[in-house]
Amino acid sequence: MDSYTKDTHRYAFELVKAARSMPVDLAEKLQHIKQLRFNYQLKALRKRINKRIT
């Protein structure tokens, strides 16, 4: 992985790198970009759930 600290930055920069060589809609379907987006969404969901519980 790259040295970006935030998941949103990792996702955005990987998407830009991939989009240079293909359309963005195809770049979003690449497996490693899907995984980055999933990890970011999961972290946000956990944060939202924990906020409601406490």
Side-chain angles (χ1 to χ4, degrees), residues 6-32:
K6 292 188 176 183
D7 291 335
T8 53
H9 292 164
R10 280 191 197 113
Y11 172 69
F13 284 111
E14 284 295 320
L15 188 60
V16 167
K17 269 199 280 187
R20 288 180 182 156
S21 61
M22 63 184 71
V24 176
D25 61 328
L26 293 178
E28 285 181 325
K29 294 178 183 177
L30 294 175
Q31 188 60 39
H32 71 284

Side-chain angles (χ1 to χ4, degrees), residues 1-5 10 13-14 17:
M1 276 263 148
D2 294 318
S3 63
Y4 306 116
T5 57
R10 280 191 197 113
F13 284 111
E14 284 295 320
K17 269 199 280 187

